[in-house]
Amino acid sequence: MLAYFPKAYDDELLYSMIARYSIHTGQQENQKAVIQDVFGKKTAVAIPDLPSHLRIFSKKVSIVWPVSASSLIDNHTLANLYVPFLFEKQAQQVLASMKSDFGGNIHTRSGITASSIQTTKYFRYCPVCSIEQKNNLGETYWQRKHQLPCIEVCLKHQCKLIDSEISFYSIQKHHFQAAEAVNKSTRISSILISKYEHKLISLFYGLLELKNIKPCSNNQWTLFYKKLALDSYMMNSNYVDHKAIYYQLNHNFKDTLFEKYLPKNNDNSWLVEIFRKHRKSFHPIRHLMVWSTFLFDKSIEEIFMLVRNFPKKNNSNKGQEFIAKQTTNKSTNEQRKSWLDLCNKNIVLGVKVLRKTENGGSLYAWLYRHDREWLNDNSPKPKRTNLNRYKRDYAIWDEENIALLQEYINNKTTLIKRPRISKAHLIKQLKTPNSVEKHLTDLPKTAKWLELNQENKVDYRKFRLRVACQTLEASNLPIQQWRLLRLASIRKEYVTEDIKHYIFNLIYKAVVVA
């Protein structure tokens, strides 16, 4: 039992507490003694994200800090990032290994080892947070929020996190490196982040605050994402519109800090797989990118509640084995009569529903095996209906599109460097570009607005020439045709009489002003 152990700070890693313990007790040069103190053995490894030996640790510090192994996992490790997305058996194994005195397989079971997403290479810190810690506490520590994979920003101060020289997975396996021993930079690099980046980072922070982690089954994840596509109008008939989902995600995270985690294309990518039947777990960044796009107004707790509302197991095949083994002493005529009676009593029902009645399943199975031709002739005929279950209010949709397009073009036309604002480019800026393109005939206002505001190739060349002229004026260089064409990247074959006349006007105006 330990007679002293430092008080845990807000959002502090257990690794950081043990590192501070080594400094407070003067044992930073004798790390084997530190490990012996806190874990009761000298072979335990210093792991920052998913440590093991937590049950032993909680017993060792119980006199000065009565904390359970489960509480340590929830509040002082990074387990909450991975465990909620693992299947139940995997999650139980990971949590059991973290509490036990054997943790060699934790990173393999959690999927970190096999993941294509790179783990954190170095311990990171926010320069503003470090200054606040030093002023308020007298020392600094490693915060969990700063060690999140894929997150390079401190959301509180909206500045870039700085890599320390301390490796996250150090070669010195038994050494706990304290934040206080690191020479920290005070250089602050502010970062402007979009609302989707802000939402994504907030969801990551929310994962750390989860308590009593309850993993979801593969069937729950499958049904959840199918319902998500349905509610987001990302369906093409009865199928998920993977292309529309890809364009929407690409639109929200293009040119952001998370662009590198987008799928490279829409064919057989992780984004396609996550909306199909779940046979494997996915890295948290992939779940959260989808959620921050299609569940922007939901908190992390609300989202997990939605997932857990679905059944853990698929019960669609329940009872089939029982039906297949049914036998009867009745004759064929008696079975036929029973089937006809069942059909007449439920005249509005189809075959699928009749089979789910009390005796309908076994009766249908027997006739299917012994009298199939008669059964096909005397069963309700399928009723095919093409109902539009996703009917949109085109008038409202029209207004929404024009509002979004007007806002986009107002912001874009003021930029010096921008792409050509073509009709196709404008459509891609909308929430569901594929659907808009398909329904342009139903959206007359949108179609007319696009025709009036699209930029043709000649107008775009003139825009580039204007920018080139401004650049030359700013550089005090002579405004000549060859300079304008070179800066505007306009090839000779595109220099029409109209373009030549436009260039002449630009040069003339520049000479007059001068």
Side-chain angles (χ1 to χ4, degrees):
M1 299 291 182
L2 293 178
Y4 168 77
F5 193 78
K7 180 183 177 181
Y9 293 134
D10 179 48
D11 192 46
E12 184 178 14
L13 282 170
L14 176 62
Y15 176 101
S16 175
M17 285 183 258
I18 297 173
R20 289 195 296 115
Y21 169 81
S22 69
I23 292 178
H24 294 182
T25 56
Q27 299 184 94
Q28 60 266 42
E29 300 302 325
N30 187 4
Q31 290 288 319
K32 285 295 182 80
V34 173
I35 294 172
Q36 180 68 43
D37 286 350
V38 297
F39 294 126
K41 58 193 299 188
K42 295 183 179 180
T43 55
V45 179
I47 300 295
D49 52 355
L50 304 176
S52 58
H53 298 77
L54 298 186
R55 191 175 285 115
I56 296 172
F57 173 84
S58 63
K59 290 180 180 178
K60 285 282 185 180
V61 300
S62 58
I63 294 177
V64 291
W65 185 24
V67 62
S68 66
S70 297
S71 179
L72 288 170
I73 290 172
D74 285 344
N75 300 305
H76 302 290
T77 73
L78 299 185
N80 282 15
L81 296 185
Y82 305 102
V83 172
F85 302 106
L86 300 176
F87 298 145
E88 193 167 4
K89 187 176 179 181
Q90 284 178 286
Q92 289 173 352
Q93 290 173 336
V94 168
L95 295 175
S97 295
M98 290 181 72
K99 293 175 183 178
S100 73
D101 57 356
F102 178 75
N105 54 13
I106 291 176
H107 289 78
T108 304
R109 282 178 171 168
S110 61
I112 296 175
T113 305
S115 177
S116 59
I117 305 294
Q118 289 188 349
T119 55
T120 305
K121 289 185 178 180
Y122 299 96
F123 278 98
R124 294 178 299 200
Y125 62 92
C126 165
V128 184
C129 289
S130 294
I131 293 170
E132 290 177 353
Q133 290 171 9
K134 192 71 175 178
N135 292 339
N136 298 332
L137 305 171
E139 61 181 341
T140 57
Y141 64 93
W142 299 123
Q143 279 189 252
R144 293 192 300 167
K145 289 176 182 176
H146 298 161
Q147 320 310 324
L148 298 176
C150 313
I151 306 299
E152 302 170 9
V153 180
C154 173
L155 193 60
K156 182 180 178 182
H157 300 109
Q158 299 219 354
C159 64
K160 187 173 177 60
L161 296 175
I162 300 175
D163 286 342
S164 70
E165 68 271 19
I166 307 298
S167 296
F168 198 65
Y169 300 113
S170 176
I171 298 174
Q172 298 175 302
K173 297 193 300 181
H174 308 290
H175 197 99
F176 289 87
Q177 301 275 10
E180 186 64 14
V182 175
N183 292 324
K184 298 182 182 66
S185 171
T186 56
R187 182 179 179 182
I188 301 168
S189 300
S190 298
I191 295 180
L192 290 174
I193 58 176
S194 69
K195 64 177 182 178
Y196 293 104
E197 291 175 285
H198 191 283
K199 178 63 177 180
L200 179 54
I201 298 171
S202 299
L203 289 174
F204 256 110
Y205 286 4
L207 282 174
L208 293 179
E209 303 303 322
L210 289 177
K211 307 298 179 187
N212 301 318
I213 306 166
K214 293 179 182 178
C216 304
S217 70
N218 54 356
N219 188 61
Q220 286 174 315
W221 285 120
T222 300
L223 296 177
F224 166 73
Y225 276 103
K226 188 173 183 180
K227 183 69 162 54
L228 179 59
L230 184 65
D231 292 343
S232 304
Y233 301 101
M234 293 293 166
M235 299 288 287
N236 187 0
S237 185
N238 290 326
Y239 300 96
V240 175
D241 192 343
H242 296 290
K243 192 174 181 180
I245 293 170
Y246 169 75
Y247 278 122
Q248 188 61 52
L249 215 69
N250 196 64
H251 175 263
N252 290 353
F253 289 103
K254 185 77 173 175
D255 300 324
T256 70
L257 297 169
F258 303 103
E259 182 179 6
K260 56 188 170 183
Y261 303 112
L262 286 167
K264 293 182 179 178
N265 54 60
N266 187 46
D267 301 325
N268 298 319
S269 65
W270 65 262
L271 189 57
V272 173
E273 292 178 353
I274 207 170
F275 278 90
R276 287 178 174 169
K277 184 175 180 179
H278 278 233
R279 294 181 174 87
K280 64 178 183 180
S281 54
F282 295 85
H283 193 278
I285 184 68
R286 291 171 172 167
H287 286 280
L288 300 190
M289 287 180 80
V290 176
W291 297 356
S292 54
T293 297
F294 298 108
L295 295 170
F296 190 84
D297 298 327
K298 300 287 185 184
S299 67
I300 197 78
E301 292 84 1
E302 290 172 327
I303 294 171
F304 274 105
M305 192 176 296
L306 290 175
V307 181
R308 295 188 185 110
N309 284 338
F310 292 101
K312 282 193 171 185
K313 294 183 179 180
N314 185 356
N315 296 321
S316 60
N317 296 324
K318 187 177 179 180
Q320 285 192 359
E321 184 180 355
F322 172 76
I323 292 171
K325 294 180 179 179
Q326 289 298 295
T327 59
T328 181
N329 295 322
K330 293 181 180 180
S331 65
T332 302
N333 287 334
E334 289 176 315
Q335 291 288 74
R336 286 181 175 182
K337 186 177 181 303
S338 299
W339 177 254
L340 291 173
D341 289 343
L342 182 64
C343 292
N344 291 332
K345 289 178 182 177
N346 303 278
I347 196 167
V348 297
L349 302 182
V351 174
K352 284 188 177 181
V353 183
L354 288 171
R355 289 170 62 182
K356 293 179 181 179
T357 57
E358 187 175 355
N359 298 316
S362 58
L363 183 58
Y364 180 90
W366 191 93
L367 287 169
Y368 185 85
R369 291 179 178 178
H370 301 95
D371 201 8
R372 188 178 306 181
E373 189 174 345
W374 180 92
L375 178 65
N376 291 337
D377 293 337
N378 293 274
S379 294
K381 302 304 177 187
K383 297 176 182 178
R384 299 189 182 277
T385 55
N386 294 320
L387 299 176
N388 187 358
R389 288 176 286 179
Y390 314 109
K391 190 173 181 180
R392 294 287 297 267
D393 188 327
Y394 291 111
I396 295 176
W397 193 6
D398 234 352
E399 297 297 336
E400 289 175 353
N401 288 340
I402 290 173
L404 288 171
L405 288 168
Q406 194 62 55
E407 182 183 1
Y408 175 78
I409 204 168
N410 289 342
N411 295 332
K412 210 67 176 178
T413 50
T414 57
L415 299 177
I416 295 176
K417 188 176 182 181
R418 62 168 175 81
R420 181 165 73 92
I421 305 175
S422 63
K423 183 177 179 180
H425 177 77
L426 288 168
I427 290 174
K428 285 181 181 178
Q429 310 314 312
L430 297 171
K431 291 182 179 178
T432 52
N434 286 357
S435 299
V436 171
E437 199 167 13
K438 186 190 293 184
H439 293 282
L440 267 181
T441 53
D442 302 313
L443 301 165
K445 291 183 180 180
T446 302
K448 185 177 180 180
W449 192 96
L450 290 170
E451 292 296 331
L452 293 173
N453 291 276
Q454 66 176 330
E455 185 178 40
N456 60 38
K457 292 181 180 179
V458 175
D459 289 339
Y460 185 51
R461 291 184 190 119
K462 290 179 180 179
F463 162 74
R464 289 180 359 231
L465 286 167
R466 289 198 302 275
V467 173
C469 185
Q470 292 170 11
T471 305
L472 291 172
E473 287 176 343
S475 303
N476 292 320
L477 291 172
I479 299 174
Q480 299 170 307
Q481 179 171 318
W482 71 270
R483 291 182 188 274
L484 290 171
L485 292 174
R486 177 175 289 181
L487 274 176
S489 302
I490 298 175
R491 290 158 57 180
K492 290 182 180 179
E493 55 264 35
Y494 296 133
V495 182
T496 61
E497 289 301 320
D498 186 20
I499 293 293
K500 285 181 180 178
H501 182 69
Y502 191 76
I503 291 173
F504 175 79
N505 287 336
L506 287 175
I507 295 172
Y508 178 76
K509 287 179 182 177
V511 170
V512 170
V513 171

